[in-house]
Amino acid sequence: MVDCFQTLHTHFNCLIYFSPVVTQALERDVNQANSDPTVKAVVICGANGKFSAGADIRNFANIGQSKFSSLESVVSLIEKSDKPMVAAIEDLAFGGGLEIALGCHYRIANMKARVGLPEVTIGLLPGAGGTQRLPRLIGVPAAIDIITTGRHVPATEALKLGILDEVVEENPIEAAINLAQRVTGQPLGPRRLCLKEVPKLPNMEAFLDEARLKVKKRANGQLSPQMCFEAVRASVYLPFAEGIQKEKQLFMYLLSSGQSKALQYAFFAQRAMEKWVLPNGASWGTADPQPVKKAAVIGLGTMGRGIVASLLKAKIPVVALEQDKKQLEVGKAAVMALLEREALKMHQNGQKPKKPIVPHFTLDFGALKDVDLVIEAVFEEIALKKEIFHKLSVICKPEALLGTNTSYLDIDEIASVTDRPHKVIGIHFFSPAHIMKLVEIIYGQQTSPSAIATAMSLAKSMGKIGVVVGNCFGFVGNRMLTHYYDQAYFLIEDGSTPEEVDKVLQEFGFKMGPLRVGDLAGLDVGWRIRKGKGQTGDALPPGTPPRHRDGMRYSPIPDMLCEMGRYGEKTGKGWYLYDKPGGKIAQPDPWLHGFLSDFRRTHNITARTISQDEILERCLYSLANEGFRILSDGIASCPEAIDTIYINGYAWPRHTGGPMFYTSQVGLPKVLAKLQEYAEANPDIPSLQPSPFLQKLVALGSPPLKEWASHVRSQNSKL
Ligand SMILES: CCCCCCCCCCCCC[C@H](O)CC(=O)SCCNC(=O)CCNC(=O)[C@H](O)C(C)(C)COP(=O)(O)OP(=O)(O)OC[C@H]1O[C@@H](n2cnc3c(N)ncnc32)[C@H](O)[C@@H]1OP(=O)(O)O
């Protein structure tokens, strides 16, 4: 008979991470329970309905002085206990939280719980024994998958894998107490993971060699997945205690790397976006979102389709409107195919696909009269957008929010044709809209705080990251991107090949370089924008010099490629040659190399050998330089906003923290000096001139990034 059970609550507040205080409290309580003869078994649970999100990431900066090193010893203390220790996992057990649970002899969770070791995503590895215990519990292949990806494992899958012993519908604490009663008196040796052998594979060596290659390829220059792999591999070849030492050593190596600092910065930067503040003081804290119970999407092109799918994912019924029957049929078929693909993906991931809400497809603007929100996603033509917004202000109910998915047009100009400019807002999705996490939320001069709060809350309900930004041509992301692309084009004019430029940026960590991305997105997209700006096409005044616009250097090469029908992947030719139109296999194109030689000859450009450093610096520093201008103009409220946009919307390698963080790590004086050097060598490229705000920061002694925003405020203060 069991006389007494003790339930240990880890002393968590709301979201529940191990600080040194929590770790010490747990150690003290476990010791007490061990020495109290009236305690027969122990249930460890979290407070406030959550188990634990792991170690407090904020403490990693001072790990030298902290007690993190003792977390593994607490896990070990729990594991060695002679009394059954049961983890009752409510909702989530991540990182150090799951490692504590792995030290327990039994683990029970509720149905909606998720478990995982996400340390890899913040540039670390599980440092409290997770890399040694998990493979012993579930085998090497599954452990490598979970630890090197950091993915969240749903309770049902965790049960199948053997991470959990039981999954219950409701309260796991009660179930844990029942289980503790059942198992008291049974031998605990077989339940101690430190004593278990790692399950053997017939071809372990070959499996590990192949897995290492796969992890390295997927890591794209990020260290933590590779170190996670090495730690798990150590569990195969080393006794447990030595494996733990190896884990610590690899953990400390990662902790001291710039990458883990960058990834932790990116983690907090992203979360800070929810707490938006406008220059006029309006903020998330005081603005109330309106409910969005029904929405409409106008235009079912590539973007519109993805937006419909995103709204449906948030369980918002959608009216999907097109301008003519043919477009509607094409759009409808594409949306339905997209929804089917998404359902299939969920099925393949072991998730139960929910019954999809089917959009209401229509040609009738009248169907928009009762929606709470419209997102217009038609062509980037200001006249067309204004016509639509004028119509919307007549048809939609007065409280409806009118959003535009424009990627660079003026929100105020669009708002000016409506009866409710305070309800007009930019909601800029990134392609493919149902996959990409970023949404730029653009406020115009009259956009109300409540409209911003509504758009932000909508972004969150679609599982996206909203970043509030000001209104200017291209907003934050595309305004900066123009400079990155300009440099790539100029470097190609001056002697680089597209392959060389792409290789340098890929080695930096982008999955694809700018030219390959251009081919993927379609070179005609930028062509249309440049035509709209009068930089090329019929509106270009006769006699305009081919390589200059308004006295500034301009590369006509991308326009020339489009004029020849080379739009990129979709036409089978662009900067690269593809296996077929729509094909994905890119080859260097001898024709293009010949074309570039002819171009240089025609324009008297002597091709030079351009170093990898110059390619990298000109592309990245010019992009960040525009970021400093954007900060100084108040278009982005802080560097964290720019970095969040770049990481989540432009596939900037997360492990470098984003363009502004990266610049801060390179050192502002170096970036300034390099920009000055390149600006002097290229007087007709004014965007290489260092921004006054960058110069100011350097003059101030290069303060840390988190202080930059305050220097903008002091600069712009009228007091
Ligand atoms: C000196 C020599 C010694 C040598 C020996 C060295 C050995 C070292 C031993 C080290 C031991 C390491 C132990 C362990 O392995 C390491 C870890 O556990 S690292 C942490 C791992 N956990 C995570 O990465 C989880 C991160 N969090 C999330 O993924 C999400 O927050 C969530 C848990 C899925 C919840 O998501 P949401 O509900 O969407 O909520 P938010 O994300 O918005 O978060 C709300 C709020 O909480 C803050 N927060 C979340 N998790 C943490 C955390 N782990 N630490 C600190 N803060 C966290 C988040 O920032 C939000 O804050 P707010 O914005 O509201 O201020």
Side-chain angles (χ1 to χ4, degrees), residues 14-18 50 52-60 62-72 92 94-99 114 116-122 124-130 152 244-245 247-249 251-252 255 264 267-268 270-275 460:
C14 211
L15 227 182
I16 24 98
Y17 10 87
F18 284 99
K50 308 253 188 284
S52 169
D56 186 336
I57 301 167
R58 287 185 172 88
N59 280 330
F60 285 135
N62 339 298
I63 195 146
Q65 306 106 49
S66 84
K67 294 276 180 193
F68 271 122
S69 51
S70 68
L71 190 59
E72 203 286 317
L92 51 89
F94 292 132
L98 180 58
E99 289 173 297
R114 292 165 302 153
L117 294 170
E119 287 87 343
V120 66
T121 62
I122 50 167
L124 296 172
L125 53 77
H152 294 182
I244 290 286
Q245 287 313 312
E247 179 190 90
K248 276 188 185 160
Q249 186 196 333
F251 183 92
M252 292 315 284
L255 189 68
Q264 287 158 41
F267 175 88
F268 290 115
Q270 178 179 319
R271 279 153 184 86
M273 293 306 105
E274 287 192 19
K275 298 180 181 151
K460 191 164 186 179

Side-chain angles (χ1 to χ4, degrees), residues 546-700:
R547 297 181 53 234
H548 283 88
R549 299 288 181 271
D550 298 327
M552 290 180 275
R553 185 163 170 191
Y554 176 86
S555 172
I557 294 178
D559 300 332
M560 294 166 85
L561 295 183
C562 288
E563 282 155 17
M564 288 181 265
R566 296 179 70 105
Y567 290 179
E569 265 187 32
K570 59 183 153 193
T571 57
K573 293 173 196 156
W575 292 104
Y576 293 87
L577 185 63
Y578 294 85
D579 46 325
K580 56 181 183 222
K584 296 268 168 212
I585 303 168
Q587 297 290 341
D589 186 350
W591 177 90
L592 187 98
H593 295 158
F595 164 80
L596 292 175
S597 302
D598 291 347
F599 178 89
R600 293 183 194 117
R601 208 171 306 117
T602 307
H603 296 284
N604 294 319
I605 302 168
T606 310
R608 63 185 175 94
T609 306
I610 301 178
S611 72
Q612 299 197 352
D613 281 352
E614 180 173 343
I615 294 175
L616 192 72
E617 289 164 356
R618 279 180 54 183
C619 290
L620 299 189
Y621 296 175
S622 61
L623 178 127
N625 195 28
E626 193 60 21
F628 286 107
R629 291 198 186 94
I630 280 174
L631 284 174
S632 164
D633 293 350
I635 295 294
S637 61
C638 56
E640 288 87 343
I642 297 178
D643 288 334
T644 302
I645 287 173
Y646 260 82
I647 289 173
N648 296 289
Y650 296 86
W652 180 285
R654 183 179 286 268
H655 61 270
T656 69
M660 308 318 283
F661 183 86
Y662 173 69
T663 322
S664 76
Q665 298 302 294
V666 170
L668 299 188
K670 176 177 172 188
V671 175
L672 174 64
K674 281 288 172 188
L675 281 168
Q676 275 162 342
E677 181 188 320
Y678 294 129
E680 265 165 40
N682 298 277
D684 57 352
I685 312 181
S687 61
L688 285 170
Q689 299 283 348
S691 98
F693 184 52
L694 169 59
Q695 296 183 40
K696 176 181 164 174
L697 289 175
V698 173
L700 287 168

Side-chain angles (χ1 to χ4, degrees), residues 262-571:
L263 286 160
Q264 287 158 41
Y265 159 82
F267 175 88
F268 290 115
Q270 178 179 319
R271 279 153 184 86
M273 293 306 105
E274 287 192 19
K275 298 180 181 151
W276 55 272
V277 181
L278 301 193
N280 67 9
S283 80
W284 69 283
T286 49
D288 286 328
Q290 286 172 221
V292 177
K293 297 209 180 100
K294 186 172 178 186
V297 176
I298 303 181
L300 296 178
T302 315
M303 291 307 287
R305 295 165 199 173
I307 298 171
V308 170
S310 303
L311 287 163
L312 293 177
K313 201 164 152 192
K315 300 196 184 72
I316 299 173
V318 183
V319 178
L321 188 126
E322 253 299 352
Q323 59 174 353
D324 66 45
K325 213 165 165 226
K326 187 162 167 243
Q327 307 271 36
L328 187 70
E329 285 311 315
V330 174
K332 182 175 174 178
V335 169
M336 297 314 288
L338 188 66
L339 296 178
E340 265 167 42
R341 275 202 303 276
E342 288 296 292
L344 185 68
K345 239 193 269 168
M346 282 181 81
H347 182 69
Q348 283 165 346
N349 291 344
Q351 293 159 279
K352 215 162 97 197
K354 303 190 184 77
K355 199 171 173 299
I357 322 173
V358 176
H360 169 194
F361 293 98
T362 183
L363 295 171
D364 176 15
F365 260 88
L368 272 50
K369 65 178 185 310
D370 62 346
V371 300
D372 305 303
L373 162 76
V374 179
I375 303 178
E376 161 280 307
V378 304
F379 277 134
E380 287 288 79
E381 281 173 22
I382 191 77
L384 176 61
K385 294 206 188 251
K386 282 164 85 172
E387 187 189 317
I388 289 174
F389 272 74
H390 178 64
K391 238 186 207 169
L392 291 176
S393 85
V394 175
I395 289 163
C396 295
K397 59 188 184 187
E399 61 275 25
L401 197 67
L402 307 182
T404 168
N405 176 50
T406 178
S407 34
Y408 54 89
L409 296 174
D410 185 353
I411 304 299
D412 290 326
E413 190 174 346
I414 295 171
S416 69
V417 297
T418 71
D419 61 347
R420 63 190 87 173
H422 61 295
K423 296 230 171 254
V424 176
I425 191 161
I427 307 181
H428 178 206
F429 291 77
F430 287 71
S431 183
H434 62 295
I435 291 176
M436 294 298 280
K437 287 267 176 220
L438 180 70
V439 184
E440 277 183 322
I441 307 286
I442 308 114
Y443 59 92
Q445 271 175 21
Q446 299 189 57
T447 308
S448 70
S450 158
I452 299 174
T454 307
M456 284 297 280
S457 146
L458 176 79
K460 191 164 186 179
S461 63
M462 293 186 295
K464 303 206 179 283
I465 302 157
V467 182
V468 176
V469 300
N471 180 27
C472 66
F473 191 86
F475 319 123
V476 170
N478 285 344
R479 176 169 155 183
M480 289 167 70
L481 197 69
T482 309
H483 300 283
Y484 174 70
Y485 269 92
D486 278 350
Q487 291 308 313
Y489 301 151
F490 298 152
L491 289 160
I492 288 173
E493 285 191 356
D494 292 348
S496 297
T497 61
E499 299 82 62
E500 281 164 358
V501 174
D502 278 351
K503 181 167 171 279
V504 169
L505 274 313
Q506 268 166 244
E507 281 172 4
F508 174 73
F510 283 100
K511 288 227 169 64
M512 289 181 189
L515 292 319
R516 184 70 185 79
V517 170
D519 274 359
L520 175 70
L523 300 184
D524 52 322
V525 177
W527 192 33
R528 204 176 310 122
I529 297 172
R530 293 189 295 277
K531 280 198 267 189
K533 282 166 92 177
Q535 292 179 321
T536 188
D538 298 342
L540 192 66
T544 306
R547 297 181 53 234
H548 283 88
R549 299 288 181 271
D550 298 327
M552 290 180 275
R553 185 163 170 191
Y554 176 86
S555 172
I557 294 178
D559 300 332
M560 294 166 85
L561 295 183
C562 288
E563 282 155 17
M564 288 181 265
R566 296 179 70 105
Y567 290 179
E569 265 187 32
K570 59 183 153 193
T571 57

